[in-house]
Every structure is written in structure tokens, then in C-alpha cells.
Amino acid sequence: MSYLNIDAQALNTYDAIVIGSGISGGWAAKELTGKGLRTLVLERGRDVRHVTDYPTTNMQPWEFDHRNQLRQEVREANPIISKCYAFYEGTEQFFVKDAEHPYIQEKPFDWIRGYQVGGKSLMWARQTQRWSDFDFEGPARDGFAVDWPIRYADIAPWYSYVERFAGISGNKDGLATLPDGEFLPPHEWNCVEKHFQQKIAGRYKDRHVIMGRAAHLTQPQPVHYQQGRAQCQHRTICERGCPFGGYFSSNSTTIPWAAKTGKMTLRPNSVVHSIIYDEKKGRATGVRVIDTHTKQMQEYYARIIFLNAAALNSNLVLLNSTSTRFPNGLGNDSGVLGKYAAFHNYRAGVSGEYDGDLDSTTDGRRPNSPYIPRFRNVLKQEMGFLRGYAAGFSAGRASRSDQSGVGADLKESLLNPKLGGWYVGSHMMGETIPKESNFLALDSSLKDPYGIPQLKISIAYDDNDDKMVKDYQEQLTEMFTEAGFKNIRVRDSHASPGLDIHEMGGVRMGKDPKTSMLNKWNQLHAVKNVFVTDGACMTSTSTQNPSLTYMAMTARSADYAVKAMKKGLV
């Protein structure tokens, strides 16, 4: 019997295990297999194959049973996920339904999830901005959170590395607050957006309106054709899955690339229960996995483990990985595991109208829009609130068709709609401050369908967020007025945290093991062969969309992990 056990363990042993197949997990798989490691990729959801498993990607509105609208019973059964802008009849298959994976809201929090191979990389908004030293230095300057153990120079070459492979469109704007990258041609402006850019440039020295940087192939390079991808078609139904691979996703890019090496084993339908810690060896030796079909537990083993289950689930896995050595969660000597969680504040917006350029209109679609980088508290603390905010901006022209006719009259009306004036709009992307009072924990009694403790989420806005909303509304109103926009309106949705879908923290990086979980290589201070490179690792949030930083950190960390493994350091 002992020989059988040894044989079974050998069959389940790999060089590396990656937990999660989303944006960061896909990159971990690509990098580790590319460096020769036999890698097991564990995904708790079902398999979704590029092109094959995008059932609605070519459907027209009239081909949907409900014209691509959510059924009332679906909306009522899913009050949380139904709040997400990307959840509709054509994308239902990619989102976690509320009742299937319960969690506890100690304070209101809308947890938006996608459990399948590729995770949320199938449905993400694809905005990709680099951080600058202003962002990495923020905590050290104002004393909130802990100092980052890295700076822009540490990650800059890895930003370039992942940008070239993923394909990022953008313009070289020369801004210290938003470093330039390895860009494909940017998307086009319309005339009102250009008007706004010029007015702001003429009025403010510290405020800029640039074209957004997005993970879309506006001009594919040889490496993208090698991936089997093609130019973005500007269909703007990206969240259904793109058969062209026009935007970056794990499914179209990193997972197939890893598979081509012959070194990857992909195991979907595998919920990770916990990471196994060997107290005699002083290291993690593998993971415990529950098969979603059989509900049976299986163990897999590896020299190094990359935890990329997405921020909140990565916290859950570590919290549930207890032992005599780590009774409060794997690597949690500092006691900060699950604490200092943060997110982005998307509550506020400003809208208006513009009477000019009535001889022009827009043509076609565009999967991107202009962007206003942060301009508050950049060089010094100057406001009555900490950190700052960025903003999106766009303009369009309203049109309407007379649909009362039939036959040729109706066709003519639909083809030549009546044009109204221009509308303009902005949304806020505010940085929230990591606080000990914003935390994640495991419930002591309630379990999920796999017998794992449910995650308890206690995250809320504070006075700093309210002050930031007010300033954003005032400043964007001023900027809109400067541009000649009229009927300007501000809004604050007061939505619960979570709909930004930018959860971060809980397993933060830092210089001191007494106040952080991870070192500068995203490596657990106390368990050197476990790496966390998804949103859980973030020490602070800045204002930029975070996914590009996850990609760069993952590539950087994987490079270090493999070199360290070969030297016997992990």
C-alpha cells in the first residue's frame, strides 16, 4: 500500500502549481512553463476554450430570446451580480450567480466574480495604465499603509515586457504621473473630445486629457499573430468573448501560449481548499483541491506555488491554510492577513451637453475613451483628503429614429436617424486608503457548497472618500464649464464598494515582516516558496486600473522564483 501511495503522489507532483487562471494566473502559467517548469494550473470554474466557448459572440440582438435583456426572474434571483454593467443575457454564462457561491456581507459589498478558465479576463474593461513613483511612494509620504518594497524602476522593464506581448494601445504623452509604455497606435478621438482636451491644456498646467491606454490590438505585431490573434474589430461586445483575440485575455493569449510548451496541465473544476504546509521542512509542499463534480478532495504537490485566485479568494485560501505553525493562516506571522483591504471609488460622475460641432458626428464604435490622470496630491499633500483620483471622459451624439412607419419608410428612418446634440460624461476612479478596519475573515460556522468557510467581507467608504467625491465633482464641473459644456449635472450613486471590481490588499507587500505578508518579490516572508501576485498583494491602490501591474508583477516574480528555485533558495 505504501508503494501505491508513493506512486500516486509522484503522479500528482509538479515543479509548480498556479492557483487561478485569470489575468495574473495566466501570466504565471505562461512564464513558468516557458522557463521549463512542469506546471499544474488549477481553476475552480469550468473550462472555457478560446473561440469555441463564446456562444453569444456572433449573435445579433434579435437572435436572443429576450433581445439581450436580463429576464426579471434572473434579476430578482441575482440582486448583486445584476448591478454589474457587463451582466446581461449575452454574458450570463461568464458570471457567478449570487446563490451559487455565498459570502457574508458584514458591511454591504458587491462581489463580482467570474469562475471559469480565464476568470474575469474575459469580461474586464481592458484599461491598462502604468504606475509611477508618485504612486509607489504615496504610503511612505503620508504614512498611511506601509511603504512599498519596490519603486517604478523595479517594475518598469516588466511593464514593457508584458505590454509587448499583450498588446497595449496608447499614445506617448510624456507625463511623469503616467509613464509611457510600449504602445500600439492609440484609438481615435472625436471632435468634442479633442475640443475638451485643447481647452483643458490651455487652462491648466497640471491637468491632462489623454487617450486611454487599452489592451486592444489596433495594429497587431508578429508576436500577436503567433498567438493566433487578429486586429480588434471595434465590435464593443468584448465581454462576450472575442473570437478574433482583439483584446487581451488569458483564454486567447497566455493559456494557449503555455499549453504550446507541453509543460502545462490545466485542471478546471478544482476548488482549492488550502495550501499544505510541512512543518518539518518549513515550506509549502502542495495544495488540497476539491473536485466540483465529485466533491472529493485530492492533493497535488510542487516545489513552488503561485496563488492567483483573485484578491478576495487568495485571502480566503491563505486564511483557510492553517497549521500548528500558522494557526491564523499561512504566512500570517504579522497578523495582517485579510486586513487593509482596499478598492477603487467609482461612485461619482459628471455629465453635460455641448451645442457646438453640430456639423459633425461619430462614426463606428470604439472600445476605449479618453482618460484624465490624477492631478491632486501628486507632488505634495495639498488637499484636505489623502491621495487622489483619475477620471474617464467621453463624448457622443444622441440620435433617434422614427419607428412608426413600415416598409421603405421605416428602413429609411432607421438608416438616417435624427441627430440631437452632443452629450459628455465623466466617471471618477478614486484611490481608497487601506485601513485595518477594512478586513476579510472566515466565518466560524457558515460553509460554502464545498465545505469551506464562507468569506466575511467588512469593507466600507470613509470620510476621506466623501471628500474626494466632492472635490472630483467640483473640479470636473469647473473643467466642463471651461470647455463650454452646459446643463452640467453631478451624481453620487452611493453604491456599495465592489462594483469597481478592483479589490486589492489583504496580503500586502512590504519591507518589514512584522507589518506585511510579502517581500519585494511577492514572496511570503515566512514561506519562501509561495508567491502571491494578484490584487491581494497590493500595498495601496493608486488611481490606475490595476491589471497591467498584476501582469508585470507576475512576470517579474516568476522570473525570480525560477532562478531562486534553481539555486535551491525556495
Side-chain angles (χ1 to χ4, degrees):
M1 180 65 69
S2 59
Y3 288 116
L4 291 176
N5 288 338
I6 291 171
D7 290 343
Q9 182 167 331
L11 288 173
N12 288 346
T13 298
Y14 298 82
D15 298 319
I17 293 174
V18 177
I19 302 171
S21 64
I23 277 180
S24 64
W27 268 97
K30 172 193 174 295
E31 293 302 300
L32 296 171
T33 57
K35 298 177 188 301
L37 272 59
R38 291 179 57 250
T39 303
L40 174 65
V41 180
L42 297 169
E43 168 55 52
R44 68 178 294 151
R46 65 190 176 95
D47 194 10
V48 171
R49 292 158 295 170
H50 181 49
V51 183
T52 305
D53 293 327
Y54 306 154
T56 65
T57 189
N58 289 318
M59 291 176 63
Q60 299 296 328
W62 56 86
E63 296 180 282
F64 290 91
D65 290 341
H66 306 92
R67 296 298 186 266
N68 214 12
Q69 302 299 307
L70 285 177
R71 290 168 292 154
Q72 185 64 26
E73 56 265 36
V74 171
R75 192 181 302 278
E76 291 175 353
N78 297 278
I80 296 171
I81 195 64
S82 294
K83 298 176 186 178
C84 179
Y85 71 96
F87 182 67
Y88 52 87
E89 189 175 15
T91 62
E92 286 183 57
Q93 66 276 8
F94 294 143
F95 287 87
V96 167
K97 307 308 182 292
D98 292 2
E100 294 174 2
H101 298 276
Y103 65 99
I104 298 163
Q105 300 181 61
E106 188 166 273
K107 297 176 183 176
F109 186 91
D110 296 322
W111 191 7
I112 309 301
R113 294 165 286 173
Y115 290 164
Q116 63 260 324
V117 170
K120 296 191 296 293
S121 77
L122 282 170
M123 311 97 77
W124 68 310
R126 307 167 306 283
Q127 301 303 294
T128 45
Q129 308 99 8
R130 293 188 180 200
W131 280 34
S132 73
D133 269 330
F134 297 114
D135 305 300
F136 287 110
E137 293 171 357
R141 188 175 66 202
D142 60 34
F144 284 80
V146 295
D147 188 14
W148 277 88
I150 62 173
R151 292 294 187 261
Y152 177 69
D154 296 304
I155 198 170
W158 296 101
Y159 276 136
S160 294
Y161 178 76
V162 300
E163 285 166 344
R164 286 191 293 265
F165 189 83
I168 308 299
S169 66
N171 186 63
K172 290 190 179 297
D173 301 294
L175 303 178
T177 51
L178 202 71
D180 292 329
E182 309 293 330
F183 295 142
L184 303 174
H187 290 98
E188 294 182 9
W189 304 72
N190 65 45
C191 57
V192 175
E193 292 166 347
K194 201 69 178 175
H195 162 80
F196 183 61
Q197 181 198 42
Q198 293 167 350
K199 286 291 185 180
I200 298 308
R203 171 67 172 80
Y204 304 93
K205 292 183 178 180
D206 63 340
R207 304 185 189 187
H208 307 274
V209 185
I210 67 172
M211 179 48 65
R213 298 162 182 183
H216 283 267
L217 299 183
T218 53
Q219 189 179 91
Q221 300 301 298
V223 68
H224 306 125
Y225 291 125
Q226 291 169 24
Q227 296 165 19
R229 299 166 65 195
Q231 184 166 329
C232 172
Q233 303 296 299
H234 288 202
R235 302 190 309 157
T236 66
I237 51 173
C238 311
E239 59 273 7
R240 298 190 207 173
C242 179
F244 305 97
Y247 71 87
F248 171 86
S249 72
S250 294
N251 306 67
S252 67
T253 312
T254 49
I255 294 294
W257 196 269
K260 286 193 298 184
T261 67
K263 298 287 187 179
M264 182 184 75
T265 299
L266 177 63
R267 194 183 196 282
N269 304 303
S270 302
V271 176
V272 172
H273 173 278
S274 55
I275 295 174
I276 303 166
Y277 181 75
D278 188 310
E279 304 204 9
K280 292 182 179 179
K281 295 180 179 179
R283 59 187 290 113
T285 55
V287 298
R288 300 180 185 92
V289 171
I290 299 172
D291 186 288
T292 61
H293 295 310
T294 67
K295 303 293 176 71
Q296 298 298 307
M297 185 177 286
Q298 178 70 59
E299 293 184 355
Y300 295 91
Y301 310 93
R303 283 276 304 278
I304 59 175
I305 297 169
F306 268 68
L307 179 53
N308 299 91
L312 302 192
N313 274 322
S314 288
N315 275 272
L316 190 159
V317 169
L318 291 177
L319 286 164
N320 202 44
S321 301
T322 57
S323 61
T324 303
R325 169 70 179 83
F326 296 110
N328 299 313
L330 185 68
N332 191 21
D333 287 340
S334 62
V336 301
L337 176 60
K339 299 177 181 178
Y340 301 99
F343 55 100
H344 278 153
N345 183 352
Y346 271 56
R347 280 167 32 193
V350 180
S351 61
E353 299 170 3
Y354 183 56
D355 293 337
D357 291 307
L358 295 179
D359 58 343
S360 301
T361 187
T362 56
D363 181 43
R365 300 176 180 179
R366 184 188 61 193
N368 191 19
S369 64
Y371 177 81
I372 305 169
R374 169 185 169 184
F375 55 86
R376 288 303 206 200
N377 295 332
V378 175
L379 298 174
K380 61 181 180 179
Q381 178 64 42
E382 58 190 353
M383 302 301 298
F385 55 85
L386 295 168
R387 313 289 169 82
Y389 52 84
F393 173 77
S394 62
R397 195 161 182 196
S399 65
R400 63 182 186 278
S401 301
D402 180 2
Q403 301 182 26
S404 61
V406 295
D409 290 341
L410 176 59
K411 181 178 179 180
E412 178 66 20
S413 176
L414 293 174
L415 291 173
N416 297 282
K418 297 179 180 178
L419 292 174
W422 290 88
Y423 57 87
V424 295
S426 171
H427 65 275
M428 172 189 178
M429 295 181 281
E431 177 173 3
T432 65
I433 306 303
K435 302 182 293 292
E436 190 171 11
S437 59
N438 280 349
F439 69 88
L440 311 165
L442 300 184
D443 190 79
S444 59
S445 57
L446 293 176
K447 310 289 185 180
D448 72 5
Y450 307 103
I452 298 172
Q454 289 187 27
L455 189 66
K456 181 165 55 179
I457 303 175
S458 184
I459 294 176
Y461 296 109
D462 63 12
D463 183 58
N464 195 72
D465 301 315
D466 294 337
K467 291 178 180 177
M468 197 180 293
V469 165
K470 185 174 184 294
D471 188 73
Y472 159 81
Q473 292 175 333
E474 290 174 352
Q475 297 309 306
L476 265 293
T477 295
E478 178 185 295
M479 293 160 71
F480 275 25
T481 302
E482 181 69 27
F485 301 155
K486 300 179 179 179
N487 298 324
I488 300 170
R489 299 172 295 278
V490 301
R491 67 179 184 279
D492 181 351
S493 69
H494 296 286
S496 303
L499 287 181
D500 54 289
I501 325 180
H502 291 173
E503 307 94 349
M504 289 175 257
V507 194
R508 70 183 182 186
M509 299 172 71
K511 297 176 181 178
D512 187 349
K514 294 180 181 179
T515 57
S516 62
M517 293 288 295
L518 306 170
N519 67 13
K520 65 180 180 178
W521 301 110
N522 295 79
Q523 181 181 31
L524 281 174
H525 289 299
V527 189
K528 297 298 186 183
N529 64 328
V530 175
F531 298 81
V532 183
T533 63
D534 61 12
C537 78
M538 301 296 273
T539 304
S540 60
T541 74
S542 187
T543 61
Q544 290 89 310
N545 298 66
S547 296
L548 183 69
T549 299
Y550 303 162
M551 296 188 221
M553 283 185 172
T554 302
R556 177 178 180 269
S557 181
D559 181 71
Y560 169 81
V562 174
K563 290 176 180 175
M565 188 176 76
K566 291 178 179 178
K567 295 177 181 177
L569 299 177
V570 298

